Amino acid sequence: QKEVEQNSGPLSVPEGAIASLNCTYSDRGSQSFFWYRQYSGKSPELIMFIYSNGDKEDGRFTAQLNKASQYVSLLIRDSQPSDSATYLCAVNSYGGSQGNLIFGKGTKLSVKP
Amino acid sequence: GAGVSQSPSNKVTEKGKDVELRCDPISGHTALYWYRQSLGQGLEFLIYFQGNSAPDKSGLPSDRFSAERTGGSVSTLTIQRTQQEDSAVYLCASSFSGTSSYEQYFGPGTRLTVT
């Protein structure tokens, strides 16, 4: 059973701090990794994707991938109250082909003003 | 450009009735996916279409669930003889079949309530 694990939270950080969200996955053959943000009552919104080991930065967001440790993380710098949402980690289960995503259950982030 | 659209946005049905949910993917996207999300649960994969290939139906929870995709574009998910446990948000996503683009973009979802 291929699994993606996330701490359910809630993770609470003060405004302006760095929020660190973590995810581990069980399928060593996984190739593609995604972070989605989901506001309450809304559908998931893709915010970051990463395919290679290392860091990938996009604005205030940095995704980090370590395939040897089967670990992917999302850092949010200068956190804002509008970042408060559930963050879903997702992993492609077919090693690079366009198969379905396996999702973690999400980490709820709360940014306090 | 236009994103993934789904209809209806909400559907209330009585137990035992059939329902059809529709998804219109992003123009040019060849891959289409159906997921469902139950209250407090993660996203559960249901079915995946890629171009003209046979769909991957490995996630369908029972034979009451079926889906088709006509003309490589619009897809319909059908649930026959609905049960209360079918109540969930049904999400459709699409992706572009490019050399390195596997990113899936979601529609707004259909909230199904079976009474």
Side-chain angles (χ1 to χ4, degrees), chain A residues 35-65:
Chain A
W35 284 99
Y36 286 83
R37 176 176 62 199
Q38 187 172 28
Y39 292 113
S40 181
K42 302 294 185 183
S43 63
E45 174 192 5
L46 180 64
I47 56 172
M48 287 289 288
F49 56 90
I50 186 166
Y51 302 144
S52 303
N53 273 330
D55 294 1
K56 179 182 178 183
E57 187 174 321
D58 183 1
R60 295 187 296 111
F61 299 99
T62 299
Q64 299 174 317
L65 174 62

Short mmCIF file of all heavy atoms in Angstrom, two decimals, chain A residues 35-65:
data_model
loop_
_atom_site.label_atom_id
_atom_site.label_comp_id
_atom_site.label_asym_id
_atom_site.label_seq_id
_atom_site.Cartn_x
_atom_site.Cartn_y
_atom_site.Cartn_z
N TRP A 35 2.67 20.07 -3.81
CA TRP A 35 2.01 20.66 -2.65
C TRP A 35 0.79 21.42 -3.13
O TRP A 35 0.86 22.26 -4.04
CB TRP A 35 2.96 21.61 -1.91
CG TRP A 35 3.98 20.90 -1.09
CD1 TRP A 35 5.28 20.65 -1.41
CD2 TRP A 35 3.78 20.35 0.22
NE1 TRP A 35 5.89 19.97 -0.39
CE2 TRP A 35 5.00 19.77 0.63
CE3 TRP A 35 2.69 20.29 1.10
CZ2 TRP A 35 5.16 19.14 1.86
CZ3 TRP A 35 2.85 19.66 2.32
CH2 TRP A 35 4.07 19.09 2.69
N TYR A 36 -0.34 21.10 -2.50
CA TYR A 36 -1.59 21.79 -2.77
C TYR A 36 -2.03 22.52 -1.51
O TYR A 36 -1.84 22.04 -0.40
CB TYR A 36 -2.69 20.80 -3.18
CG TYR A 36 -2.54 20.23 -4.57
CD1 TYR A 36 -1.70 19.15 -4.82
CD2 TYR A 36 -3.25 20.77 -5.63
CE1 TYR A 36 -1.58 18.62 -6.10
CE2 TYR A 36 -3.14 20.25 -6.92
CZ TYR A 36 -2.30 19.17 -7.14
OH TYR A 36 -2.19 18.67 -8.41
N ARG A 37 -2.67 23.66 -1.71
CA ARG A 37 -3.27 24.41 -0.61
C ARG A 37 -4.78 24.30 -0.75
O ARG A 37 -5.32 24.46 -1.85
CB ARG A 37 -2.85 25.89 -0.69
CG ARG A 37 -3.48 26.80 0.34
CD ARG A 37 -2.91 28.20 0.21
NE ARG A 37 -3.20 28.79 -1.07
CZ ARG A 37 -2.53 29.85 -1.58
NH1 ARG A 37 -1.53 30.38 -0.90
NH2 ARG A 37 -2.88 30.34 -2.74
N GLN A 38 -5.45 24.01 0.34
CA GLN A 38 -6.90 23.87 0.30
C GLN A 38 -7.53 24.70 1.40
O GLN A 38 -7.37 24.40 2.58
CB GLN A 38 -7.33 22.39 0.42
CG GLN A 38 -8.81 22.17 0.21
CD GLN A 38 -9.21 20.71 0.15
OE1 GLN A 38 -8.56 19.84 0.73
NE2 GLN A 38 -10.30 20.40 -0.56
N TYR A 39 -8.23 25.74 0.99
CA TYR A 39 -8.99 26.53 1.94
C TYR A 39 -10.27 25.78 2.26
O TYR A 39 -10.78 25.00 1.45
CB TYR A 39 -9.33 27.91 1.37
CG TYR A 39 -8.13 28.81 1.18
CD1 TYR A 39 -7.69 29.20 -0.08
CD2 TYR A 39 -7.42 29.28 2.29
CE1 TYR A 39 -6.60 30.03 -0.25
CE2 TYR A 39 -6.33 30.12 2.13
CZ TYR A 39 -5.92 30.48 0.86
OH TYR A 39 -4.82 31.29 0.70
N SER A 40 -10.81 26.04 3.44
CA SER A 40 -12.02 25.35 3.89
C SER A 40 -13.15 25.52 2.89
O SER A 40 -13.47 26.64 2.49
CB SER A 40 -12.43 25.90 5.25
OG SER A 40 -13.58 25.22 5.72
N GLY A 41 -13.73 24.42 2.46
CA GLY A 41 -14.85 24.47 1.53
C GLY A 41 -14.48 24.68 0.08
O GLY A 41 -15.36 24.81 -0.77
N LYS A 42 -13.18 24.71 -0.20
CA LYS A 42 -12.70 24.92 -1.58
C LYS A 42 -11.95 23.70 -2.07
O LYS A 42 -11.62 22.79 -1.30
CB LYS A 42 -11.80 26.15 -1.63
CG LYS A 42 -12.45 27.44 -1.17
CD LYS A 42 -13.57 27.86 -2.10
CE LYS A 42 -14.14 29.21 -1.71
NZ LYS A 42 -15.28 29.59 -2.56
N SER A 43 -11.65 23.69 -3.36
CA SER A 43 -10.90 22.58 -3.92
C SER A 43 -9.40 22.84 -3.79
O SER A 43 -8.97 23.98 -3.59
CB SER A 43 -11.29 22.37 -5.38
OG SER A 43 -10.96 23.49 -6.16
N PRO A 44 -8.57 21.80 -3.91
CA PRO A 44 -7.12 21.99 -3.79
C PRO A 44 -6.56 22.85 -4.92
O PRO A 44 -6.96 22.72 -6.08
CB PRO A 44 -6.58 20.56 -3.87
CG PRO A 44 -7.73 19.68 -3.50
CD PRO A 44 -8.94 20.38 -4.03
N GLU A 45 -5.61 23.69 -4.54
CA GLU A 45 -4.94 24.59 -5.48
C GLU A 45 -3.46 24.25 -5.51
O GLU A 45 -2.80 24.25 -4.47
CB GLU A 45 -5.15 26.04 -5.03
CG GLU A 45 -4.39 27.08 -5.83
CD GLU A 45 -4.41 28.43 -5.14
OE1 GLU A 45 -4.91 28.54 -4.01
OE2 GLU A 45 -3.90 29.40 -5.74
N LEU A 46 -2.93 23.95 -6.69
CA LEU A 46 -1.51 23.60 -6.80
C LEU A 46 -0.65 24.83 -6.54
O LEU A 46 -0.82 25.88 -7.17
CB LEU A 46 -1.23 23.07 -8.20
CG LEU A 46 0.20 22.65 -8.51
CD1 LEU A 46 0.62 21.48 -7.64
CD2 LEU A 46 0.36 22.30 -9.98
N ILE A 47 0.29 24.70 -5.58
CA ILE A 47 1.17 25.83 -5.30
C ILE A 47 2.63 25.53 -5.59
O ILE A 47 3.41 26.46 -5.88
CB ILE A 47 1.02 26.33 -3.84
CG1 ILE A 47 1.25 25.21 -2.82
CG2 ILE A 47 -0.33 27.00 -3.64
CD1 ILE A 47 1.30 25.72 -1.39
N MET A 48 3.05 24.28 -5.52
CA MET A 48 4.45 23.95 -5.80
C MET A 48 4.54 22.53 -6.32
O MET A 48 3.76 21.66 -5.93
CB MET A 48 5.31 24.04 -4.54
CG MET A 48 5.61 25.43 -4.05
SD MET A 48 6.75 26.32 -5.11
CE MET A 48 8.30 25.49 -4.76
N PHE A 49 5.52 22.29 -7.19
CA PHE A 49 5.85 20.94 -7.57
C PHE A 49 7.35 20.82 -7.68
O PHE A 49 8.06 21.80 -7.96
CB PHE A 49 5.17 20.53 -8.88
CG PHE A 49 5.46 21.44 -10.04
CD1 PHE A 49 6.54 21.23 -10.87
CD2 PHE A 49 4.62 22.52 -10.30
CE1 PHE A 49 6.80 22.06 -11.94
CE2 PHE A 49 4.86 23.36 -11.37
CZ PHE A 49 5.95 23.13 -12.20
N ILE A 50 7.87 19.62 -7.44
CA ILE A 50 9.31 19.40 -7.46
C ILE A 50 9.56 17.99 -7.94
O ILE A 50 8.86 17.04 -7.56
CB ILE A 50 9.95 19.68 -6.08
CG1 ILE A 50 11.46 19.59 -6.14
CG2 ILE A 50 9.37 18.75 -5.00
CD1 ILE A 50 12.16 20.18 -4.90
N TYR A 51 10.56 17.85 -8.82
CA TYR A 51 10.86 16.55 -9.40
C TYR A 51 12.28 16.07 -9.08
O TYR A 51 12.57 14.88 -9.20
CB TYR A 51 10.70 16.59 -10.93
CG TYR A 51 9.34 17.00 -11.41
CD1 TYR A 51 9.20 17.78 -12.56
CD2 TYR A 51 8.18 16.63 -10.74
CE1 TYR A 51 7.95 18.17 -13.01
CE2 TYR A 51 6.93 17.02 -11.19
CZ TYR A 51 6.83 17.79 -12.34
OH TYR A 51 5.59 18.18 -12.79
N SER A 52 13.17 17.02 -8.71
CA SER A 52 14.57 16.67 -8.48
C SER A 52 14.96 16.93 -7.05
O SER A 52 14.40 17.83 -6.39
CB SER A 52 15.47 17.51 -9.39
OG SER A 52 15.13 17.34 -10.75
N ASN A 53 15.93 16.17 -6.56
CA ASN A 53 16.45 16.39 -5.22
C ASN A 53 16.93 17.83 -5.06
O ASN A 53 17.45 18.44 -6.00
CB ASN A 53 17.62 15.45 -4.95
CG ASN A 53 17.17 14.12 -4.40
OD1 ASN A 53 16.16 14.02 -3.73
ND2 ASN A 53 17.93 13.09 -4.71
N GLY A 54 16.73 18.37 -3.87
CA GLY A 54 17.20 19.71 -3.58
C GLY A 54 16.06 20.64 -3.28
O GLY A 54 14.99 20.21 -2.86
N ASP A 55 16.33 21.91 -3.47
CA ASP A 55 15.36 22.95 -3.16
C ASP A 55 14.82 23.59 -4.43
O ASP A 55 15.53 23.72 -5.43
CB ASP A 55 16.02 24.05 -2.31
CG ASP A 55 16.43 23.57 -0.94
OD1 ASP A 55 16.23 22.38 -0.65
OD2 ASP A 55 16.96 24.39 -0.17
N LYS A 56 13.58 24.02 -4.36
CA LYS A 56 12.97 24.78 -5.45
C LYS A 56 12.20 25.93 -4.81
O LYS A 56 11.35 25.71 -3.95
CB LYS A 56 12.02 23.91 -6.27
CG LYS A 56 11.35 24.67 -7.40
CD LYS A 56 10.38 23.77 -8.16
CE LYS A 56 9.68 24.56 -9.26
NZ LYS A 56 8.69 23.72 -9.96
N GLU A 57 12.53 27.15 -5.23
CA GLU A 57 11.94 28.33 -4.63
C GLU A 57 10.99 29.02 -5.60
O GLU A 57 11.26 29.11 -6.80
CB GLU A 57 13.06 29.30 -4.22
CG GLU A 57 12.58 30.50 -3.42
CD GLU A 57 13.75 31.35 -2.93
OE1 GLU A 57 14.77 30.78 -2.52
OE2 GLU A 57 13.63 32.59 -2.97
N ASP A 58 9.87 29.50 -5.05
CA ASP A 58 8.92 30.28 -5.86
C ASP A 58 8.28 31.31 -4.92
O ASP A 58 7.39 30.97 -4.14
CB ASP A 58 7.85 29.37 -6.47
CG ASP A 58 6.89 30.13 -7.37
OD1 ASP A 58 7.05 31.36 -7.55
OD2 ASP A 58 5.96 29.49 -7.91
N GLY A 59 8.80 32.52 -4.99
CA GLY A 59 8.28 33.55 -4.11
C GLY A 59 8.56 33.23 -2.66
O GLY A 59 9.71 32.96 -2.28
N ARG A 60 7.53 33.23 -1.84
CA ARG A 60 7.71 32.92 -0.41
C ARG A 60 7.75 31.42 -0.12
O ARG A 60 7.94 31.02 1.02
CB ARG A 60 6.56 33.55 0.39
CG ARG A 60 6.54 35.07 0.35
CD ARG A 60 5.49 35.66 1.29
NE ARG A 60 4.13 35.30 0.93
CZ ARG A 60 3.34 34.48 1.64
NH1 ARG A 60 3.79 33.93 2.77
NH2 ARG A 60 2.12 34.22 1.25
N PHE A 61 7.55 30.61 -1.15
CA PHE A 61 7.48 29.16 -0.97
C PHE A 61 8.78 28.49 -1.43
O PHE A 61 9.35 28.84 -2.45
CB PHE A 61 6.32 28.57 -1.78
CG PHE A 61 4.97 29.09 -1.38
CD1 PHE A 61 4.35 30.09 -2.10
CD2 PHE A 61 4.32 28.57 -0.27
CE1 PHE A 61 3.09 30.57 -1.73
CE2 PHE A 61 3.06 29.03 0.10
CZ PHE A 61 2.45 30.03 -0.63
N THR A 62 9.23 27.51 -0.63
CA THR A 62 10.36 26.67 -1.02
C THR A 62 9.97 25.21 -0.78
O THR A 62 9.57 24.86 0.33
CB THR A 62 11.63 26.99 -0.21
OG1 THR A 62 12.02 28.35 -0.46
CG2 THR A 62 12.77 26.06 -0.61
N ALA A 63 10.09 24.42 -1.83
CA ALA A 63 9.89 22.98 -1.68
C ALA A 63 11.26 22.32 -1.59
O ALA A 63 12.20 22.71 -2.29
CB ALA A 63 9.10 22.43 -2.86
N GLN A 64 11.36 21.32 -0.73
CA GLN A 64 12.61 20.59 -0.56
C GLN A 64 12.33 19.11 -0.73
O GLN A 64 11.37 18.59 -0.17
CB GLN A 64 13.19 20.86 0.84
CG GLN A 64 13.51 22.32 1.09
CD GLN A 64 13.95 22.57 2.53
OE1 GLN A 64 13.37 22.03 3.47
NE2 GLN A 64 14.97 23.38 2.70
N LEU A 65 13.20 18.45 -1.50
CA LEU A 65 13.01 17.02 -1.78
C LEU A 65 14.28 16.26 -1.44
O LEU A 65 15.37 16.65 -1.87
CB LEU A 65 12.64 16.80 -3.24
CG LEU A 65 12.54 15.36 -3.72
CD1 LEU A 65 11.45 14.58 -2.97
CD2 LEU A 65 12.29 15.31 -5.23
#
